[in-house]
Amino acid sequence: MANNNSTSQGGSPNQNQEAGRPFIASAQETLGGAFNATVGAAKEHPVAAAAIAAGAAAAVGGAVYAATQLRGNDSGSSSSKSSSKK
């Protein structure tokens, strides 16, 4: 199996940029296709799309709540120590 990294390191900067363009174009086409498929699926099944969005929002909200509770416990334990020193 050949090492592809050795060929990308050599050559002029213009050759390396030209080699990267097809990859970027391919990635843009892939993302565009995924976006169009997602929009199409949401249009066909709006209730399912709303349920997925609500679930994602609940997951983010739960993560934020957990993070604030963890920070509250850390600062609460340090404040209780400082209040006991008074």
Side-chain angles (χ1 to χ4, degrees), residues 3 13 20 25 27 41-42 59 62 65 72 78 80 84:
N3 185 359
Y65 177 75
S78 63
S80 65
S84 63

Side-chain angles (χ1 to χ4, degrees), residues 70-86:
L70 286 175
R71 284 190 178 198
N73 288 342
D74 290 343
S75 64
S77 63
S78 63
S79 66
S80 65
K81 289 178 185 175
S82 63
S83 63
S84 63
K85 291 180 183 179
K86 289 182 180 178

Side-chain angles (χ1 to χ4, degrees), residues 20-46:
R21 286 187 181 156
F23 174 75
I24 292 172
S26 173
Q28 286 176 340
E29 289 176 12
T30 302
L31 288 174
F35 178 76
N36 290 336
T38 303
V39 170
K43 286 181 180 179
E44 290 178 16
H45 307 287

